[in-house]
Amino acid sequence: KNADYLIASFIKYVHSQKKSLIPEITRIVKGTLLANYLTFADKTSQKEKFSNITVYIDTPIILGLLGWDGPTRKKSLEEFLELIFDLNAKAKVFDITVKEIRGVLSSWKEALRNKNYTRLHEMTRQLFKSRGTTPEQLNTEIVLLESTLKSMGIEVDDNFELDPNHCCDEVKLEKFLLKVGFKRPGHDIKCITRIFNSRAGKSINSLNDEFSIFITPNSKLEAICNRFFKKDVEPNSVQVITSEKWLATFLWLKHPEHFASLPFDLLLTDAYSALNSDDHFWDSFLKRFSKLKVKGNISEEDFNLVRWDSSLFNMVQHASVLTGDDFAEDDIYSLVEEIKRKNLKLEARLIE
């Protein structure tokens, strides 16, 4: 019932314990990348340099480049960024994205300072714990953010001006996103409408054209916005918003010999993202788990022991393969007992 987790677990297993299978899986990924490329209208461009392309990067990708999604994701994104620069394309962020990144880092800083760990993504909390991250370190990251971006080769665009002749309906787009569950889409709307505006009503059917594009790891945002712009942007042209994987496909096919490991790295980073994401399975478990504590079926001591155990998140994901998000009370009790047994063994070892 949680197929993404099952597939992601297999990829992680191959990477860590069955590396002999990597060439075979890479071959499959390369075939998929090529198939995706062939759906695009432009198959004749012989260019090897793309100074005509400007890539605007979304907040989660920058956070990944800063290392806040772990080393695997950071490595893959650094290779992606290197690929962009190798082909002379430009990498930028909007000023509003810098503001949003500072907001995320500030939120993390306050959560750590106030020990309000429930405000943190579970895997972010575990990353902070493993690194010993402090509010002071996050404050330094905030202060140095623009110089860090500059050192990566990423330019901050703080002078973008909308052309009133080529604006899209921002209010309609906002209603569209709110209707499908986006809670605070303001930043995304501004970035996407700026890219749309920059194209001046033209569809981009060739990599020879000069254009900007917004890159995000949010596949839901990508799909919904592309549906929103379907009357304005031809289906087989370069869309206003897309994923780093989509862009990497086209750029990688221009220089596959320089980035031989990129296809598998893209697959691996997707796998780790699936394993580490806060999704409805995790949220459903926490709601059921908290209700059992409120009812008195689980003690405060056991609740705290289990809730903040570093293995809980992956155990919940593993259980969801069979249960989906419909966690029975017996499933939760089993997880509690398993974690308690694990901790008793650790205590026994320490005593020895």
Side-chain angles (χ1 to χ4, degrees):
K1 295 184 181 180
N2 187 354
D4 288 346
Y5 174 82
L6 198 60
I7 295 167
S9 296
F10 172 71
I11 298 303
K12 182 181 178 183
Y13 165 75
V14 168
H15 178 246
S16 60
Q17 299 183 45
K18 208 75 174 175
K19 292 187 183 293
S20 60
L21 290 178
I22 290 178
E24 301 302 321
I25 293 176
T26 300
R27 193 172 294 118
I28 295 170
V29 178
K30 286 179 179 179
T32 304
L33 293 178
L34 184 57
N36 290 339
Y37 176 73
L38 293 175
T39 64
F40 180 58
D42 175 34
K43 306 180 187 70
T44 58
S45 175
Q46 300 300 312
K47 288 183 68 171
E48 293 193 354
K49 298 296 179 182
F50 294 93
S51 57
N52 55 303
I53 299 176
T54 302
V55 179
Y56 283 88
I57 304 172
D58 197 8
T59 298
I61 297 177
I62 297 296
L63 291 172
L65 284 164
L66 293 171
W68 297 114
D69 271 341
T72 301
R73 175 72 167 156
K74 186 173 189 287
K75 177 181 178 294
S76 175
L77 290 173
E78 284 175 341
E79 193 169 13
F80 170 62
L81 195 62
E82 186 184 348
L83 179 58
I84 289 174
F85 295 143
D86 188 66
L87 296 173
N88 282 8
K90 294 179 282 293
K92 293 186 179 184
V93 290
F94 287 117
D95 49 358
I96 51 175
T97 301
V98 173
K99 183 179 178 181
E100 183 176 67
I101 295 165
R102 284 204 178 101
V104 172
L105 294 171
S106 295
S107 174
W108 289 350
K109 181 182 72 173
E110 291 309 308
L112 286 181
R113 178 169 288 154
N114 298 322
K115 298 183 180 179
N116 188 3
Y117 303 124
T118 55
R119 287 181 59 192
L120 299 171
H121 181 297
E122 177 60 17
M123 298 310 291
T124 302
R125 181 189 71 80
Q126 292 188 29
L127 183 69
F128 288 169
K129 185 178 178 182
S130 67
R131 290 182 175 178
T133 303
T134 65
E136 291 72 26
Q137 288 172 327
L138 288 171
N139 191 63
T140 300
E141 187 94 296
I142 294 167
V143 171
L144 298 178
L145 179 59
E146 288 201 41
S147 61
T148 302
L149 291 172
K150 186 176 180 181
S151 70
M152 291 179 181
I154 300 170
E155 180 185 338
V156 177
D157 185 347
D158 51 10
N159 293 308
F160 188 91
E161 292 185 12
L162 288 171
D163 180 345
N165 297 314
H166 298 289
C167 292
C168 68
D169 191 337
E170 286 191 35
V171 175
K172 188 176 179 181
L173 177 57
E174 182 177 22
K175 288 179 180 177
F176 202 62
L177 290 172
L178 289 171
K179 185 178 179 181
V180 296
F182 284 83
K183 294 179 181 178
R184 293 180 295 276
H187 165 266
D188 297 326
I189 290 168
K190 285 185 172 63
C191 291
I192 292 160
T193 54
R194 287 180 181 186
I195 298 297
F196 178 83
N197 186 269
S198 72
R199 295 189 179 186
K202 300 174 185 174
S203 278
I204 310 300
N205 294 311
S206 170
L207 296 180
N208 293 321
D209 296 337
E210 186 166 344
F211 66 91
S212 297
I213 189 167
F214 186 62
I215 301 297
T216 180
N218 191 332
S219 57
K220 184 179 179 182
L221 178 67
E222 176 191 6
I224 290 167
C225 288
N226 288 340
R227 198 189 320 154
F228 179 82
F229 288 116
K230 65 182 179 180
K231 291 182 180 179
D232 303 290
V233 182
E234 295 173 12
N236 285 336
S237 65
V238 177
Q239 299 299 301
V240 171
I241 170 176
T242 189
S243 67
E244 76 262 24
K245 187 193 300 181
W246 185 93
L247 183 63
T249 297
F250 295 102
L251 300 183
W252 172 75
L253 283 164
K254 297 299 177 181
H255 281 294
E257 70 284 358
H258 293 177
F259 300 91
S261 68
L262 184 62
F264 186 79
D265 284 347
L266 288 171
L267 184 65
L268 185 63
T269 194
D270 278 356
Y272 274 87
S273 293
L275 291 171
N276 296 338
S277 62
D278 267 356
D279 55 18
H280 62 280
F281 300 106
W282 175 245
D283 292 337
S284 175
F285 170 81
L286 287 181
K287 285 176 184 175
R288 297 282 182 92
F289 189 38
S290 297
K291 282 181 181 178
L292 289 176
K293 186 193 77 167
V294 171
K295 286 163 63 177
N297 294 9
I298 293 176
S299 70
E300 184 79 25
E301 182 182 358
D302 284 352
F303 179 86
N304 288 327
L305 175 72
V306 173
R307 173 61 184 87
W308 305 114
D309 188 277
S310 61
S311 60
L312 178 64
F313 185 84
N314 287 331
M315 289 171 70
V316 169
Q317 293 279 43
H318 185 74
S320 70
V321 173
L322 295 177
T323 65
D325 58 3
D326 187 22
F327 289 96
E329 289 187 3
D330 285 345
D331 296 325
I332 296 175
Y333 293 141
S334 294
L335 287 174
V336 171
E337 290 305 314
E338 189 175 344
I339 288 176
K340 285 172 69 176
R341 284 195 299 272
K342 183 194 78 170
N343 279 277
L344 284 172
K345 286 180 182 177
L346 287 172
E347 288 174 9
R349 283 181 201 155
L350 289 171
I351 293 171
E352 291 173 3

